[in-house]
């Protein structure tokens, strides 16, 4: 999990770091999100995940999401570093809607970086080269979260992928995304 989070954060940061202001209105594979919307989405989740990895209490007042591509890229790297700490994965933490196992919070963060990193890369016409071991981890997490993610609208209906598709393409399909590069 930790290695996969680190790889995905680095990949996400490289993609986010290439976003220019004129690209913020581009559509992504997520029907309700432009590039700017997706950055703001992750700009809220990543700092919350970093806090959750450190098992720090939630702030009393809501924190506005980061929206600057470079700031969101740095947040991804800080979040992965926080999850690498030895005490990050054991126990419970406050994340998202409440208190949950820290490993589940890390898994949610992993799939956010993997899937939305791919979404951003697609919108920008960039490659998203996920390593084989990380792709297997992503597939396991996506399959684990798919039922709940579909129920809350985070994932669309599964998309059929070829039987010989790699694990990352299978994860994309399981999350409702079509693995083929968009034109």
């Amino acid at each position: 999990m930790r290695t996969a989070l680190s790889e995905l954060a680095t990949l996400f940061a490289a993609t986010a770091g290439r976003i220019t202001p004129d690209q913020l209105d581009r559509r992504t594979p997520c029907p309700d999100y432009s590039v700017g919307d997706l950055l703001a989405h992750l700009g809220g989740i990543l700092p919350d995940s970093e806090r959750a990895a450190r098992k720090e209490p939630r702030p009393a007042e809501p924190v506005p999401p980061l929206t600057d591509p470079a700031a969101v890229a740095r947040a991804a790297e800080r979040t992965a570093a926080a999850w690498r700490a030895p005490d990050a994965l054991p126990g419970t933490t406050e994340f998202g809607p409440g208190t949950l196992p820290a490993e589940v919070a890390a898994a949610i963060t992993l799939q956010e970086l993997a899937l939305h990193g791919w979404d951003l890369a697609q919108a920008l016409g960039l490659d998203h080269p996920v390593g084989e071991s990380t792709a297997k981890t992503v597939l396991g997490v996506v399959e684990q979260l798919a039922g709940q993610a579909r129920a809350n609208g985070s994932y669309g209906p599964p998309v059929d992928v070829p039987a010989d598709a790699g694990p990352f393409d299978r994860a994309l399909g399981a999350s409702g995304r079509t693995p083929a590069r968009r034109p």
Side-chain angles (χ1 to χ4, degrees):
M1 176 76 70
R2 289 178 171 109
T3 301
L5 271 167
S6 291
E7 179 182 335
L8 292 166
T10 298
L11 185 56
F12 175 86
T15 299
R18 294 182 65 180
I19 297 171
T20 60
D22 63 308
Q23 295 171 321
L24 294 174
D25 290 332
R26 284 191 183 179
R27 299 311 311 157
T28 71
C30 294
D32 297 333
Y33 288 104
S34 67
V35 168
D37 296 333
L38 204 48
L39 278 175
H41 171 71
L42 287 159
I45 288 174
L46 292 171
D48 191 43
S49 180
E50 178 185 357
R51 181 206 45 75
R54 294 187 176 144
K55 309 239 176 42
E56 296 170 351
R58 283 196 171 108
E61 296 294 321
V63 178
L66 304 170
T67 56
D68 174 69
V72 179
R74 287 189 301 273
E77 292 172 335
R78 283 192 314 272
T79 300
W83 283 111
R84 282 194 301 270
D87 59 344
L89 291 174
T92 61
T93 191
E94 293 179 10
F95 183 65
T99 300
L100 56 145
E103 285 187 6
V104 173
I108 292 168
T109 303
L110 180 137
Q111 62 91 39
E112 290 281 340
L113 285 169
L115 299 176
H116 290 320
W118 181 85
D119 293 332
L120 287 175
Q122 290 297 288
L124 302 173
L126 301 173
D127 289 329
H128 192 72
V130 176
E132 187 73 14
S133 178
T134 294
K136 289 177 183 175
T137 301
V138 171
L139 177 59
V141 166
V142 167
E143 289 176 340
Q144 173 190 358
L145 299 176
Q148 182 178 357
R150 256 187 220 89
N152 71 24
S154 298
Y155 289 2
V159 172
D160 288 333
V161 296
D164 63 346
F168 193 73
D169 281 353
R170 293 196 326 263
L172 291 170
S175 73
R177 290 163 170 81
T178 302
R181 177 174 282 283
R182 292 171 29 147

